[in-house]
């Protein structure tokens, strides 16, 4: 079984790659990256693909059984087509399973709502793909918020997808472990999981 991870050069993607290597070995994990140099350190096969380029993904997804789609960084409305490029290429190239990293939170009423709305559209696209699928809705990553603490103190508030509610932080490492299992184990197919920690005020 060969599993590919997009955004392998990024912090979440590379963490998922490392967990997958522990489970299925280096030869069975392929990293997909817009900037392959940034993913070289992983020591696995890296294929180049930009979310804006469907043809890149047609090549990158050759001989891949399952793909992990890490949500993109572009503005929310642009991400929908970027993610469709990956989903359509997966469908056309014999990929059997797609797993998508989405986000928890309300589609209205909070600072992250445009991102949440865009991710919900990709969730629908993944569910309608005809492939085996699983969706993880990630909690807010704790690591960046720790880096922003001084800014939050200055501004007097933290604005994110928790709105006025409690925040269910997760670490990227916890998510890496979860996504590796989700990719490998068939029992997760067809599920939408909230991958979140204990809510804190
Ligand atoms: N839940 C949360 O709290 C939270 C917080 C921040 C972000 N996010 C989401 O989670 C994702 C991963 O976060 P992260 O912390 O791992 O981000 P990160 O370390 O900044 O990595 C971002 C990755 O996205 C890649 N990328 C950007 N545009 C691309 C494109 N057009 N085509 C292909 N790859 C592209 C970058 O590739 P290059 O190496 O080429 O730049 C990089 O690998 C983000 O993209 C965002 O959707 C969630």
């Amino acid at each position: 079984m060969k599993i590919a991870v997009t955004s392998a050069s990024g912090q979440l993607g590379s963490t998922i790659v490392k967990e997958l290597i522990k489970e299925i070995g280096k030869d069975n994990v392929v990293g997909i990256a817009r900037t392959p140099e940034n993913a070289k350190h992983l020591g696995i096969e890296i294929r180049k693909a930009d979310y804006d380029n469907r043809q890149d993904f047609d090549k990158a997804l050759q001989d891949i059984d399952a793909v992990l789609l890490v949500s993109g960084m572009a503005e929310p409305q642009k991400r929908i087509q970027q993610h469709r490029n990956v989903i359509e290429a997966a469908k056309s190239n014999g990929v059997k399973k797609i797993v998508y990293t989405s986000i928890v939170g309300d589609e209205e009423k909070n600072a992250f709502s445009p991102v949440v709305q865009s991710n919900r559209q990709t969730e629908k696209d993944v569910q309608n793909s005809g492939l085996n699928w699983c969706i993880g809705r990630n909690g807010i990553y704790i690591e960046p918020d720790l880096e922003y603490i001084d800014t939050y103190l200055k501004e007097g508030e933290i604005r994110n997808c928790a709105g006025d509610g409690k925040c269910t932080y997760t670490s990227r490492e916890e998510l890496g472990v979860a996504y590796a299992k989700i990719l490998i184990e068939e029992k997760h197919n067809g599920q939408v999981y909230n991958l979140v920690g204990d809510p804190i005020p």
Side-chain angles (χ1 to χ4, degrees), residues 9-12 34-35 38 50-51 71-73 139-141 172:
S9 54
Q11 295 168 88
L12 180 62
R34 176 180 60 176
T35 317
N38 296 347
D50 187 316
Y51 287 144
S71 57
M73 294 288 275
I140 298 288
Y141 309 158
R172 292 192 187 91

Side-chain angles (χ1 to χ4, degrees), residues 21-39:
I21 290 172
K22 286 186 206 162
E23 299 275 352
I24 58 173
K26 284 192 169 202
D27 292 345
N28 296 313
V29 185
V30 172
I32 299 179
R34 176 180 60 176
T35 317
E37 303 90 87
N38 296 347

